[in-house]
Amino acid sequence: MRTILIIVFVALGAGACSDTDGTVGESSSTTTTAVLTTTAAPTTTTTTTTTVLAEATSSTSLTTTTSTTTTTTEPPPELLGVELVQVADMGHPLAIASPPGDPRLFVADRTGVIEIIGIDGVVVESPFIDLTDRVRANGIEQGLLGLVFHPSYADNGRFFVYYTDENDDSTLVEFAVSDDPMVADASSAKELLFLDQPTERHNAGMLEFGPDGYLYVAIGDGGDGGHNGQKPDTLFGTILRLDVDSGDPYAIPEDNPFVAGGGAAEVWAYGLRNPWRFSIDDGLIYIADVGQQDWEEVSVLPLDAGGANLGWAIREGSRCFSSPACEQTETVFPVLEYPHSEGCSITGGSVYRGEAIPELHGLYFYSDWCQGWIKSFRYENGKAVDPEVWSDLKPGQVNTFGTDAAGELYIGTWSGELWKLSPIRAEK
């Protein structure tokens, strides 16, 4: 049985508003109007030439057949709304990813298992890899927390995971696929990074490759009460940037901000508490950081802005935290924040770039783990604009967002549902 959550667009006004303090609040309306440009895309015509190589009867020759096909792209039917379609029912999905150009979807479960959803949309019976013998998932902030595939995975079969080990410490490990493309080689493990965690909390763990080919890694402050956030010489409370194609076990990119000193060479940005999910899109990195007491926040940085101090624990959101009066001139402020009256723990998401709903291109989606709502904004000219509350989309406690190789957006929940954002369109 297919389960769906539906939101329909109606012309009754905006579904979200900005408070005077810059936070996004719920609309008083029970319906939601998306802030979208819905002008139909123009009809385009493309011509492609396909060359087919066929074996001849002789083993020493090939015959070549060339055909030319003209394809006309029609604009999609009118977008009436969007829905969440349940794709699978899993354990505790914490990371969702696909190798570039691969139609399969890989889902990392908190317990240490990575499963594959095949091109038929069905969960493959045998897991891609089972790491439950080395992953500890006792606390809600522990487990298999990160998964990413190398940009050249189709050629080299390399992928990377970040998990809490049996001693409550954090480990970044590289693996390789086996001769069977549906099964990873568990014996290929290569440890890249080990972190002796001060507590069981604030492990972060998001992994993503940037367009520069470097691996970005989110590291929480270790739950040390805020002391690590302003120490760029430690790896805690940071985003790391690693060259995993050079060195042993990795190399430091030459343009990392602290190569010449002033911080750990791996650190790209610091001043974070528990960055629960970041997303890289169009030369920008969107970082959602879980608050301590009153505020949740999202910061957006250009990828050429290495060395940024995002403020924790001088600030929580845009407010002073460590003292009533604080020096903030050297810190980067969030582009969006919301108070704990609207939630308690942000779950950062992704910018939508899928082909199914081009009307949503450029919208950054995010959620709150306690409230389960879905919200979005568009980043323009250094600001979060067009805030939207998708009030009829209520998937539950959102653990994570992720995208497939086509840019379509997925949501994983604490209760195990895996949802896909899908369009509702008028009949032709």
Side-chain angles (χ1 to χ4, degrees), residues 105-340:
L105 189 69
F106 292 72
V107 182
D109 188 86
R110 174 172 164 267
T111 59
V113 175
I114 299 176
E115 297 187 272
I116 300 174
I117 297 177
I119 57 176
D120 58 357
V122 177
V123 179
V124 176
E125 183 176 354
S126 298
F128 180 61
I129 194 169
D130 186 340
L131 302 175
T132 53
D133 62 339
R134 65 196 81 182
V135 172
R136 185 179 179 89
N138 283 3
I140 62 172
E141 298 184 41
Q142 295 184 325
L144 178 51
L145 303 173
L147 166 67
V148 71
F149 294 88
H150 192 279
S152 298
Y153 178 81
D155 298 321
N156 60 32
R158 299 167 67 196
F159 67 98
F160 303 82
V161 298
Y162 179 99
Y163 60 82
T164 309
D165 68 16
E166 294 179 307
N167 296 314
D168 297 324
D169 296 317
S170 297
T171 308
L172 173 65
V173 182
E174 175 184 334
F175 286 93
V177 70
S178 71
D179 292 336
D180 182 348
M182 304 299 286
V183 180
D185 180 2
S187 67
S188 66
K190 176 184 177 181
E191 183 178 296
L192 304 185
L193 188 68
F194 172 82
L195 291 168
D196 185 1
Q197 290 283 354
T199 74
E200 298 179 4
R201 303 176 63 236
H202 301 183
N203 295 302
M206 178 71 187
L207 306 174
E208 191 166 339
F209 279 93
D212 50 17
Y214 297 133
L215 179 62
Y216 291 73
V217 184
I219 308 292
D221 70 2
D224 74 329
H227 302 294
N228 282 328
Q230 293 300 306
K231 296 178 180 178
D233 56 341
T234 176
L235 301 188
F236 291 106
T238 67
I239 302 291
L240 310 182
R241 182 172 179 251
L242 311 175
D243 179 357
V244 295
D245 292 323
S246 304
D248 186 16
Y250 57 80
I252 303 298
E254 293 181 356
D255 57 347
N256 266 17
F258 300 112
V259 167
E266 293 92 340
V267 171
W268 182 81
Y270 68 104
L272 292 161
R273 181 177 178 271
N274 189 23
W276 188 244
R277 297 332 194 201
F278 67 81
S279 177
I280 295 175
D281 174 77
D282 196 24
L284 300 169
I285 182 169
Y286 294 68
I287 306 170
D289 199 16
V290 178
Q292 168 84 17
Q293 182 170 304
D294 295 311
W295 295 92
E296 305 296 305
E297 64 187 87
V298 179
S299 298
V300 182
L301 300 172
L303 288 176
D304 60 3
N309 178 0
L310 297 175
W312 175 253
I314 298 173
R315 290 186 287 99
E316 181 186 44
S318 62
R319 278 75 172 175
C320 291
F321 180 81
S322 55
S323 63
C326 58
E327 177 58 50
Q328 306 185 51
T329 57
E330 300 300 321
T331 62
V332 177
F333 278 68
V335 300
L336 178 139
E337 58 186 357
Y338 64 87
H340 281 185

